[in-house]
Amino acid sequence: MAKPGTARTAPPSSHAPELDRLIHERLRLGIVSALAVNEALSFADLKKLLNTSDGNLSVHARKLEEAQYIACTKTFEGRLPRTEYRLTAAGRRALERYLEHMEALIRATREA
Amino acid sequence: MTTSPNPPAPGQGAPGAPDAAHAQALEDLRYIRRTMEGAASFTALSGWGVVAIGVTAFPAAYLAEHAMTHRGWMLIWLVEALIGVAIGVGTTVRKARAAREPLFGRPGRRFALTFATPMAAGAILTIALYYGGMVGILPGMWLLLYGTAFATAGAFSVPTVPVMGLCFMVMGTAALAAPSSAWLGNVFMAAGFGALHVVFGALIARKHGG
């Protein structure tokens, strides 16, 4: 909840300073959203669900992992490696904040 | 709290473009919702719940086999059906809550409605066949329509669910084709509502988080 000390000089309709850019990116937002409603999803599940490529998914998943928004476990199913992702508490909070942020944006334009 | 302070996103929600920011926010929310619904449709049904329903079907089949009258036999299976519904609904609600997933989002509502339709047909046929003295047809009809419910509603769920439905339909068809006997009827009931539930419930639990 710690709000960075951004200047309050911006017009009230602009909530940009609070925006979490980490999950603002489309695919990363998709990963977090999909994991929010599943205990865990494999790399293959996510790829199919978000309709993206291996490379793209792994790049963005790694970004989220570095921020500790998601946790990754690698296991072996027979000889095939299986990567599973879960949403962390920090990731869930980030998504909630993001949703609140979007709501605020909509409310602000409605009131303007 | 672990996140570093984020600098203002350039070009996103810039002052002076409230309409663009508004449209962007709406589109973002829609995207989140679509993704959640697409991803969530497979968690609702509790695999362990389905296993539990299967487990209760075995003693029910045993009791039904020892029933003296058609009426007693019917009552045993109706009670078993109620127990099954209670377990199914209870465990599904619990699983949805644990995943913080709204139970009656769009996929949930669609699943429930599509599932309820063949089940209602089954209830009507049960009454008609019972009073028409065709109790022997009931096991096959129940299995067939219960399977239809999962096969069709399963379109809004993971592939395992409609496959389970198809297996129930095959079981029901076999029961209808088999020579009419009370003993065989109970065997088919145990094989369907018992064994199929246990096998597919375990599959769902293993593959789809409980």
Side-chain angles (χ1 to χ4, degrees):
Chain A
M1 304 305 122
K3 290 216 173 82
T6 39
R8 293 290 293 158
T9 49
S13 67
S14 169
H15 294 255
E18 285 177 50
L19 191 69
D20 187 345
R21 292 178 74 202
L22 211 73
I23 59 171
H24 182 57
E25 198 281 328
R26 206 13 90 92
L27 190 62
R28 295 202 284 263
L29 186 57
I31 296 171
V32 170
S33 301
L35 288 174
V37 289
N38 285 284
E39 217 177 315
L41 286 173
S42 71
F43 188 86
D45 289 337
L46 275 173
K47 196 181 127 189
K48 208 170 77 184
L49 216 63
L50 300 169
N51 197 13
T52 186
S53 65
D54 278 11
N56 219 3
L57 179 57
S58 60
V59 165
H60 287 295
R62 194 165 313 131
K63 278 243 164 83
L64 289 169
E65 214 189 320
E66 281 163 9
Q68 296 185 329
Y69 280 7
I70 64 173
C72 165
T73 46
K74 290 195 168 75
T75 49
F76 277 86
E77 208 170 69
R79 290 199 169 172
L80 292 170
R82 181 183 161 88
T83 309
E84 257 194 357
Y85 295 100
R86 283 160 203 277
L87 195 63
T88 62
R92 196 175 287 281
R93 272 200 303 276
L95 179 64
E96 277 163 13
R97 270 201 309 273
Y98 191 81
L99 284 168
E100 278 161 20
H101 180 86
M102 292 296 122
E103 273 174 17
L105 253 175
I106 291 166
R107 225 178 297 128
T109 31
R110 209 164 270 166
E111 282 159 13
Chain B
M1 266 154 273
T2 50
T3 57
S4 55
N6 293 304
Q12 295 296 340
D19 283 352
H22 179 82
Q24 172 73 35
L26 275 180
E27 171 49 29
D28 266 6
L29 288 180
R30 262 185 230 121
Y31 173 72
I32 292 169
R33 186 169 186 174
R34 261 204 319 275
T35 309
M36 282 185 169
E37 285 185 349
S41 62
F42 47 93
T43 37
L45 198 66
S46 162
W48 293 122
V50 172
V51 170
I53 295 171
V55 170
T56 63
F58 294 114
Y62 178 81
L63 288 177
E65 182 53 29
H66 291 82
M68 295 296 169
T69 60
H70 281 163
R71 201 183 139 81
W73 180 88
M74 231 338 234
L75 270 175
I76 288 164
W77 284 116
L78 284 183
V79 168
E80 162 62 12
L82 287 179
I83 293 172
V85 168
I87 294 175
V89 170
T91 52
T92 301
V93 167
R94 239 191 57 179
K95 186 173 174 185
R97 276 213 192 120
R100 294 215 200 170
E101 179 194 326
L103 191 55
F104 284 103
R106 230 159 40 141
R109 276 204 310 271
R110 282 184 180 161
F111 187 97
L113 272 177
T114 318
F115 188 81
T117 315
M119 294 299 278
I124 294 164
L125 276 172
T126 300
I127 297 168
L129 291 173
Y130 179 76
Y131 287 107
M134 289 182 274
V135 177
I137 296 179
L138 287 176
M141 187 274 285
W142 282 338
L143 287 161
L144 185 63
L145 284 184
Y146 184 77
T148 310
F150 271 119
T152 52
F156 307 108
S157 194
V158 266
T160 316
V161 175
V163 170
M164 172 170 85
L166 285 176
C167 289
F168 268 98
M169 290 177 76
V170 168
M171 190 72 80
T173 308
L176 290 172
S180 180
S181 99
W183 178 79
L184 254 169
N186 289 325
V187 168
F188 274 112
M189 290 293 280
F193 291 107
L196 281 182
H197 271 147
V198 169
V199 169
F200 279 96
L203 264 177
I204 292 168
R206 204 174 64 97
K207 277 165 68 181
H208 307 293

